[in-house]
Amino acid sequence: STQSTGSAYLPHTAGGMSSVSSLRLKFKTDFDKSVLLTNFEKRGWSRALYDEDWNFYWAGVHNIKPLFSPDNPTRLGDHQVVNHFPNHQELTRKDLMVKNLKRFKKEVEKECSASAETESYFLDFVPITFTLPADYTLFVEEFRRCPNSVWIMKPTSGAQGKGIFLINKLSQIKKWSAGKWPFSQSKETYVVSRYIENPLLVGGKKFDLRIYALVTCYRPLTIYINSNGFARFCTVKYSSDKSDLDNQYIHLTNVAIQKHGDEYNDRHGGKWSLQNLVQWLEATRGREATARMVEEIEAIVINSCKAVQNVIINDKHCFELYGYDVILDDDLKPWLIEVNASPSLSSTTAVDKQMKGALISDVLNIVASPEEFQDPGANNRTHTHVTDKSRLGDFDLLYSEAVLLEAEKSRKEEALKKSRAPNFRFKK
């Protein structure tokens, strides 16, 4: 498909300004999901044909690299928006996420040490993790330090629980590294992380959280968080018994796995809304502890984005809807498991479909409202954030670097005025 330097689908008035009421936007998508198509059609958008230009593209991650490749002779126009940043994998590929978070933590701890601050507490949210085979020696050292611990192996680019398995013996790693592990079809890079062996349980079952965050700009960093996340439950009660390590229905919360279990309930899909979980936690653990947990989850989202802020290519045409996977331990401490660049838009239940439809609608209201396409000479997405509640829907502005910078600027200006103010001592 082609990308133009303008927009063929923005009719202009005699004065040269685009007429919002008569916008005829064209969309392109790599996913024929009803939650996407319904939202596009509700807005009166039409699908771009193969050789047509487009205004909005919900792309698969595999199509982003060629879209922004230097070899691509065309560049995105002012009125073209796409749902991934060029190098989104810095946060969404497991090994790169860990590398960037480790680097960021060192930087912040160094700054905190110099200024005697304690902000680094909020950076301890990723289990000890190594990349294999590159960090094999370091992993062996750590394994031998805690020989009775359990570790979880994941392909760096995997999804939906594919290729994941648990280990508690070094011999299992040696089999994998020799290409003999039954779950490993290739020498693909893996990450191995300390398994959270004391997960918070509800009804005796393990679960994790899916949190949706929307980043519309990395410089200045602008993050929105959605209130309609959910908890995904395993279908079999949790067991830390070593003989159950290979039972995926006990340990892996992915719906793609759990839906094949005998105990799977297709009415509720093994899910709880985030609101229901918070209410349950407030009742069982108290409001203060629950509020602290929510604060820490929000800190995970903010600090993970800060960790990649300076390495992400901040293209003004891009936004990112992230699916954060977080697990709570029995102390209500949240741990970041991974960040998904393409959170599933498939619907397993009627409630699921309604929630994801509303999610996409809110995303489009923020990143692709008529206001965003109104002026053909400017794209202000990188300089503004949305505060209008009618556009935010179930999103809240979680972090705005622009607001913080403006507040800091005002504070300094006020301090400067005070320092310059005359201080006369009147004599009686």
Side-chain angles (χ1 to χ4, degrees):
S1 62
T2 60
Q3 300 86 48
S4 69
T5 54
S7 178
Y9 303 101
L10 290 167
H12 293 75
T13 62
M17 289 294 288
S18 120
S19 171
V20 177
S21 61
S22 59
L23 289 180
R24 299 193 304 273
L25 298 185
K26 293 279 186 176
F27 74 86
K28 179 180 177 181
T29 178
D30 293 334
F31 304 93
D32 284 331
K33 299 293 184 182
S34 63
V35 294
L36 287 174
L37 299 179
T38 301
N39 271 294
F40 297 155
E41 290 162 4
K42 277 182 180 178
R43 285 164 172 75
W45 299 0
S46 58
R47 191 166 200 152
L49 301 177
Y50 178 76
D51 58 347
E52 280 188 316
D53 205 349
W54 49 266
N55 300 108
F56 186 92
Y57 184 14
W58 197 282
V61 291
H62 57 285
N63 279 330
I64 292 300
K65 188 174 181 179
L67 188 66
F68 289 98
S69 170
D71 297 329
N72 190 338
T74 56
R75 293 290 174 263
L76 295 185
D78 284 336
H79 291 291
Q80 291 184 297
V81 177
V82 65
N83 66 321
H84 295 296
F85 287 92
N87 59 337
H88 62 86
Q89 67 273 11
E90 293 289 344
L91 182 59
T92 58
R93 207 177 82 179
K94 299 176 185 69
D95 55 337
L96 295 180
M97 179 194 81
V98 171
K99 181 194 74 173
N100 286 314
L101 287 172
K102 284 180 178 178
R103 173 187 45 74
F104 180 67
K105 185 179 180 182
K106 285 182 181 178
E107 292 171 356
V108 173
E109 287 177 340
K110 186 176 180 180
E111 292 175 9
C112 290
S113 176
S115 60
E117 294 180 1
T118 57
E119 189 67 25
S120 61
Y121 166 79
F122 283 104
L123 296 175
D124 181 28
F125 56 77
V126 177
I128 297 173
T129 301
F130 300 94
T131 301
L132 299 181
D135 296 335
Y136 179 73
T137 303
L138 295 173
F139 166 68
V140 170
E141 289 179 10
E142 183 64 30
F143 187 96
R144 287 175 174 161
R145 207 172 285 131
C146 306
N148 295 320
S149 57
V150 176
W151 296 78
I152 185 166
M153 296 270 293
K154 300 179 179 182
T156 55
S157 302
Q160 299 184 324
K162 295 174 183 174
I164 298 178
F165 54 94
L166 275 60
I167 62 167
N168 66 332
K169 296 177 182 176
L170 276 178
S171 59
Q172 294 166 313
I173 285 283
K174 290 174 181 175
K175 285 182 179 180
W176 167 81
S177 64
K180 296 178 181 177
W181 190 268
F183 296 97
S184 179
Q185 301 300 316
S186 68
K187 290 294 185 68
E188 181 183 4
T189 304
Y190 270 60
V191 290
V192 57
S193 304
R194 180 75 64 82
Y195 187 60
I196 306 298
E197 294 187 69
N198 63 325
L200 178 67
L201 305 178
V202 175
K205 294 176 181 178
K206 178 183 171 181
F207 66 94
D208 73 354
L209 303 179
R210 166 57 58 85
I211 309 292
Y212 294 107
L214 174 68
V215 174
T216 55
C217 183
Y218 267 99
R219 289 185 292 280
L221 183 58
T222 309
I223 312 171
Y224 304 86
I225 194 165
N226 194 278
S227 60
N228 287 333
F230 53 87
R232 304 179 299 184
F233 285 84
C234 290
T235 53
V236 177
K237 287 192 174 183
Y238 183 74
S239 166
S240 58
D241 195 295
K242 299 299 184 283
S243 63
D244 289 324
L245 287 184
D246 59 354
N247 189 333
Q248 295 184 320
Y249 300 118
I250 290 176
H251 297 287
L252 303 186
T253 59
N254 309 74
V255 175
I257 289 175
Q258 294 297 330
K259 68 182 181 181
H260 298 294
D262 293 337
E263 303 299 319
Y264 180 74
N265 185 318
D266 56 13
R267 182 176 57 84
H268 55 64
K271 293 177 181 178
W272 255 15
S273 70
L274 202 54
Q275 292 94 329
N276 284 345
L277 179 69
V278 167
Q279 289 176 4
W280 182 82
L281 288 173
E282 287 177 341
T284 57
R285 296 298 186 98
R287 289 191 173 184
E288 186 177 339
T290 303
R292 173 70 169 174
M293 176 208 74
V294 171
E295 181 186 9
E296 290 187 25
I297 290 175
E298 292 176 346
I300 287 175
V301 174
I302 293 170
N303 286 318
S304 60
C305 290
K306 281 185 175 181
V308 298
Q309 182 180 14
N310 292 327
V311 294
I312 290 285
I313 298 169
N314 187 50
D315 192 290
K316 70 178 183 178
H317 305 93
C318 305
F319 70 91
E320 199 86 46
L321 175 64
Y322 293 116
Y324 278 75
D325 289 346
V326 174
I327 191 167
L328 303 174
D329 67 20
D330 197 41
D331 297 319
L332 285 196
K333 177 175 175 57
W335 296 90
L336 177 61
I337 304 304
E338 63 181 295
V339 184
N340 297 275
S342 292
S344 172
L345 297 178
S346 299
S347 303
T348 53
T349 67
V351 172
D352 209 31
K353 185 175 183 178
Q354 183 180 9
M355 183 275 293
K356 289 178 179 177
L359 171 72
I360 298 302
S361 179
D362 292 344
V363 169
L364 297 181
N365 285 340
I366 293 172
V367 305
S369 69
E371 291 86 349
E372 303 292 343
F373 295 101
Q374 183 170 11
D375 183 354
N379 184 328
N380 294 317
R381 296 178 62 254
T382 59
H383 308 296
T384 61
H385 60 269
V386 176
T387 55
D388 182 357
K389 188 60 185 173
S390 66
R391 282 181 62 187
L392 286 173
D394 292 315
F395 276 101
D396 288 302
L397 180 63
L398 176 64
Y399 185 87
S400 173
E401 189 175 27
V403 171
L404 294 175
L405 291 173
E406 188 60 35
E408 179 65 13
K409 180 182 176 183
S410 299
R411 186 190 66 78
K412 287 181 178 179
E413 288 175 350
E414 190 63 31
L416 187 62
K417 286 180 185 177
K418 289 180 179 179
S419 69
R420 290 176 175 173
N423 186 18
F424 298 113
R425 293 177 179 273
F426 292 98
K427 294 181 179 179
K428 292 182 179 179

